[in-house]
Amino acid sequence: MYKIIQDPVNGPVKIDGLFSEIVDSQYFQRLRYIKQLGLCNLVFPGANHSRFEHSLGTMFMAHELSEALEIKDDIPSIAALLHDIGHMPFSHGLENEFYGLYKVVHEDLTRKIILGENPYDDSTIPGILEKYGYSPSDIADVATGSSKKYPLFSTMISGPIDVDEIDYLRRDALFCGVTMGQIDYKRLFNTLMVNGSDLVGVEKSIPTIESIIITRILMYNTVYFHKTCRIAQRMLGYAYLDNDKKNVDDMKMTDFQFIEKLLNGKSSELVKRVMNRNLFKVAYRGNYTVERTVEIKSLLGDLPEHEYIVDIVPPLYFAGSTRIKNYAKVHYRGRMENINNVSSMAMALSGEMENKQILVSASDRVYGKIRKLMVIK
């Protein structure tokens, strides 16, 4: 028997067999309660969609791309379905705090769930995969974009043109209510070629690849790096770091379980502020330089911990072509070229995220003091 799941982005999505069993499993169902965009719903009220529907949408995209490329293997679709199964509470919103404490990212947890490794010994995913003749190790490698056995499949999940991003850009734009994210994926998929482990466009692919680059930059500037979203996430991170009962199993929680734990801890007042959208306010904004950042941190060093946030937007880690992902290849007039070499638009956008700002936000207790320290006129 098959099931039909009505996806607001892609329409009816049909699943059966292995796919249905994975969707019904404990750790996949948990994704219903992990928001795709963390606390961005405090700014974009519609952003309440979850990792559950994004994972289904990524699986659907992988199936569509596999058909366009005449790939007869289900591994890309299986890996796409599982690629986010290890996400922590509030998705990327708290990943820096979790990494600082436990030295893992969500891809590490995805691998552990697929393999059934500690602390996910109760995962049914490896048994489901083996029942249908698939190696959990092979699927984990593809799902985390690291497969040497199936490098093309890894590129389909995580590459310059990948099904993960095409789904989340379209989905996030829809639920945030912003007028972007209109990517003609069907045209793109039907103009792609396979060259080894690469997906390569042709000349007629260029406008669609440009649209992905533009959408990516607009979504990061408008939604993902929105100052208020980042303030809320950092405040929640402070609350977690202050919690005296935090432990590695917190990464297995849902958003609701995580908030409940924090509300019952010593950081409850800070959590209540976040949940009531009583957030820190921006006290200073200026152009980023290393020297200015050091100066600001020195000026604020005597203020109470966790009463202010020094943020750099876009973050320092978000730099270079691997983040902008403007390194797609196209077969152009008999030569293999980087998209930047044949698209003036892609080239013009290549440095877009390099212009960074310093934002200092603060609680009511220190807001006035920070404004005076920063000599804002």
Side-chain angles (χ1 to χ4, degrees):
M1 289 292 293
Y2 62 82
K3 299 177 182 178
I4 294 179
I5 301 174
Q6 196 66 29
D7 182 356
V9 176
N10 297 306
V13 176
K14 183 177 177 180
I15 60 171
D16 60 7
L18 174 148
F19 295 96
S20 183
E21 290 190 37
I22 289 175
V23 168
D24 288 342
S25 67
Q26 171 191 353
Y27 286 109
F28 196 89
Q29 287 293 315
R30 170 185 167 273
L31 296 181
R32 290 183 183 273
Y33 312 106
I34 306 292
K35 284 192 177 67
Q36 171 82 359
L37 294 182
L39 290 166
C40 283
N41 65 329
L42 295 178
V43 178
F44 304 94
N48 291 302
H49 55 304
S50 72
R51 291 281 157 180
F52 181 88
E53 54 259 45
H54 165 58
S55 297
L56 286 167
T58 305
M59 176 204 71
F60 179 82
M61 287 289 101
H63 176 73
E64 293 279 287
L65 179 55
S66 294
E67 285 206 332
L69 298 175
E70 298 183 347
I71 293 171
K72 304 302 181 184
D73 201 318
D74 278 339
I75 288 178
S77 297
I78 298 168
L81 185 64
L82 289 167
H83 83 285
D84 270 351
I85 200 168
H87 254 294
M88 307 154 184
F90 292 95
S91 292
H92 294 292
L94 295 171
E95 198 153 22
N96 284 340
E97 285 77 11
F98 285 130
Y99 182 78
L101 291 166
Y102 311 121
K103 297 298 180 281
V104 292
V105 292
H106 76 272
E107 290 89 351
D108 300 320
L109 304 188
T110 289
R111 178 177 295 278
K112 288 178 178 291
I113 292 173
I114 294 173
L115 297 178
E117 294 179 348
N118 183 55
Y120 301 99
D121 311 79
D122 57 343
S123 172
T124 59
I125 300 299
I128 294 169
L129 294 172
E130 288 167 351
K131 172 184 172 182
Y132 287 90
Y134 292 97
S135 160
S137 180
D138 287 347
I139 298 297
D141 287 346
V142 176
T144 56
S146 59
S147 179
K148 294 181 180 178
K149 185 176 180 180
Y150 300 107
L152 172 63
F153 297 168
S154 277
T155 300
M156 292 168 66
I157 306 298
S158 180
I161 301 170
D162 65 55
V163 294
D164 174 23
E165 184 173 58
I166 290 173
D167 182 81
Y168 79 65
L169 288 175
R170 296 169 66 232
R171 189 172 302 275
D172 294 349
L174 173 67
F175 283 98
C176 289
V178 295
T179 54
M180 53 196 77
Q182 300 300 312
I183 297 169
D184 189 355
Y185 75 88
K186 290 186 177 180
R187 178 172 177 80
L188 176 64
F189 289 177
N190 284 295
T191 58
L192 290 176
M193 305 183 302
V194 174
N195 181 29
S197 62
D198 292 327
L199 293 177
V200 178
V202 295
E203 194 162 346
K204 65 179 70 173
S205 311
I206 292 173
T208 313
I209 296 173
E210 289 173 335
S211 77
I212 295 174
I213 297 171
I214 292 168
T215 300
R216 183 185 300 126
I217 290 171
L218 290 175
M219 286 297 290
Y220 273 103
N221 282 334
T222 306
V223 177
Y224 307 140
F225 293 152
H226 191 287
K227 63 178 178 58
T228 306
C229 298
R230 289 184 62 82
I231 289 170
Q233 289 169 178
R234 289 288 297 275
M235 289 177 68
L236 189 62
Y238 282 175
Y240 183 61
L241 293 175
D242 277 346
N243 191 280
D244 55 348
K245 296 179 181 178
K246 58 183 175 290
N247 63 75
V248 70
D249 285 340
D250 297 337
M251 294 186 290
K252 298 172 69 174
M253 289 181 169
T254 65
D255 292 354
F256 303 114
Q257 292 168 332
F258 188 79
I259 290 296
E260 183 178 5
K261 175 173 182 170
L262 294 188
L263 285 172
N264 290 314
K266 72 172 188 175
S267 52
S268 60
E269 288 305 313
L270 190 54
V271 178
K272 288 176 184 176
R273 287 195 59 174
V274 174
M275 303 314 290
N276 291 324
R277 206 181 182 280
N278 181 17
L279 306 174
F280 291 0
K281 295 183 296 184
V282 175
Y284 171 80
R285 184 195 301 260
N287 293 329
Y288 165 77
T289 65
V290 174
E291 294 76 19
R292 183 58 174 155
T293 306
V294 171
E295 179 186 3
I296 288 171
K297 289 182 177 180
S298 176
L299 283 170
L300 305 181
D302 293 331
L303 296 178
E305 188 180 25
H306 293 174
E307 292 287 345
Y308 65 92
I309 297 165
V310 178
D311 198 10
I312 299 168
V313 183
L316 293 179
Y317 68 79
F318 198 89
S321 63
T322 55
R323 289 294 180 174
I324 298 295
K325 294 177 75 170
N326 59 344
Y327 57 96
K329 294 178 181 177
V330 291
H331 197 265
Y332 182 79
R333 299 181 184 178
R335 304 187 313 276
M336 195 75 70
E337 294 279 4
N338 184 297
I339 186 69
N340 277 340
N341 296 333
V342 298
S343 166
S344 56
M345 186 178 297
M347 175 58 75
L349 293 170
S350 63
E352 178 64 24
M353 304 300 286
E354 302 302 322
N355 297 320
K356 302 180 187 296
Q357 287 197 317
I358 306 172
L359 275 77
V360 180
S361 53
S363 69
D364 296 337
R365 296 184 188 92
V366 299
Y367 178 81
K369 185 176 288 188
I370 287 178
R371 286 186 64 87
K372 290 179 182 177
L373 284 171
M374 303 306 295
V375 196
I376 297 176
K377 298 180 180 180

